[in-house]
Amino acid sequence: MTTPLINKVYLKTQVQEKAKLFLSEISDENLKYFTEEVKKVAEGVLEAYVFDIYDTCTTGAFAIKDNDVLQSFSDLNSGYQTQMLKWISDNALKVEHIEINLPKPPAETASKTTNPLYPLGIGTVIATGLFIFTNAWVALAAEILTIAIAYRQYIKNVTIREHNAFEKERYAHELRIKKDQLIQGLTLDLEKWLDRGKAESDRVIAFWGL
């Protein structure tokens, strides 16, 4: 049986779009929204693949002819779609959080302690990332948020702005690199996760000899 393809092009495009939408300005909230949206996209792509397979085998060009096999394949308790949706649930992408303890901001900005840079109080902020196979992207999200906060401290402080232009550019350059690593690395791992889902789908389908 010729099976439909998983839409990895859509996945990659959507990750890029979510990055443009949420990561142009790094904050704890934007990282959280980006992570949650990317999770929805990836799981949605795999669910759409499962539904395509189900439709192909039940109503499409490769519809199962044998009524007993069709009934077993479509069974609401143990059929293909039920097994695959359970696999997605059991292997769901995980949104995880890391609490970051930050140094006290410089004296020049001490009066701005209500700034969104410190949403949970001076020196504490929450980074959100996606756990796929390891916590690498959660850790990288925390690193990106730390760099972004340090960068903002530089550009908002008059004294630092005048005397540390090199440091500002260093932070900005490092932030761009880390963001690219996050976007590209997440995309690659999400594609691998989709491949694992397809492999499970192939295994389940093979039970009916399709």
Side-chain angles (χ1 to χ4, degrees):
M1 183 185 80
T2 302
T3 59
L5 297 176
I6 293 181
N7 199 342
K8 292 183 180 179
V9 174
Y10 177 78
L11 170 73
K12 186 174 182 178
T13 301
Q14 283 299 299
V15 172
Q16 292 286 345
E17 287 298 318
K18 301 304 180 185
K20 289 178 183 178
L21 180 61
F22 295 111
L23 300 185
S24 57
E25 181 75 16
I26 298 295
S27 68
D28 58 332
E29 284 298 312
N30 283 348
L31 274 172
K32 177 175 178 290
Y33 293 143
F34 171 73
T35 301
E36 292 172 344
E37 289 298 311
V38 167
K39 169 183 163 66
K40 290 177 185 177
V41 168
E43 292 179 349
V45 167
L46 187 51
E47 287 175 358
Y49 175 76
V50 169
F51 298 149
D52 282 348
I53 291 288
Y54 182 84
D55 289 344
T56 297
C57 292
T58 56
T59 61
F62 296 93
I64 299 168
K65 307 303 181 183
D66 186 290
N67 287 333
D68 290 336
V69 175
L70 179 60
Q71 183 175 356
S72 176
F73 182 87
S74 307
D75 189 276
L76 295 178
N77 295 314
S78 60
Y80 167 79
Q81 188 166 289
T82 300
Q83 289 189 51
M84 284 306 303
L85 292 180
K86 183 179 184 302
W87 186 93
I88 294 174
S89 176
D90 291 344
N91 296 272
L93 302 166
K94 300 176 183 178
V95 174
E96 295 195 351
H97 310 279
I98 292 180
E99 182 176 299
I100 305 171
N101 293 316
L102 302 169
K104 185 177 180 180
E108 291 86 347
T109 58
S111 62
K112 301 179 181 179
T113 55
T114 57
N115 190 286
L117 293 177
Y118 303 94
L120 302 180
I122 294 175
T124 304
V125 70
I126 299 294
T128 303
L130 198 60
F131 186 103
I132 305 178
F133 306 119
T134 69
N135 70 342
W137 310 122
V138 185
L140 184 54
E143 188 176 355
I144 288 172
L145 185 57
T146 302
I147 295 169
I149 290 173
Y151 175 64
R152 290 182 198 173
Q153 288 178 355
Y154 272 106
I155 65 176
K156 288 188 176 184
N157 186 282
V158 175
T159 303
I160 293 176
R161 185 166 63 245
E162 292 174 348
H163 296 96
N164 292 279
F166 175 78
E167 283 297 303
K168 288 194 301 177
E169 179 53 35
R170 183 177 70 83
Y171 274 117
H173 178 68
E174 187 175 2
L175 187 58
R176 287 193 295 270
I177 290 175
K178 296 296 183 183
K179 282 167 59 175
D180 286 344
Q181 289 177 350
L182 179 66
I183 295 165
Q184 294 172 14
L186 266 179
T187 301
L188 288 174
D189 268 4
L190 289 171
E191 288 179 343
K192 292 176 183 177
W193 182 81
L194 291 178
D195 288 339
R196 292 191 182 187
K198 183 182 184 306
E200 177 64 13
S201 174
D202 292 344
R203 186 194 69 79
V204 174
I205 287 174
F207 173 79
W208 289 282
L210 303 177

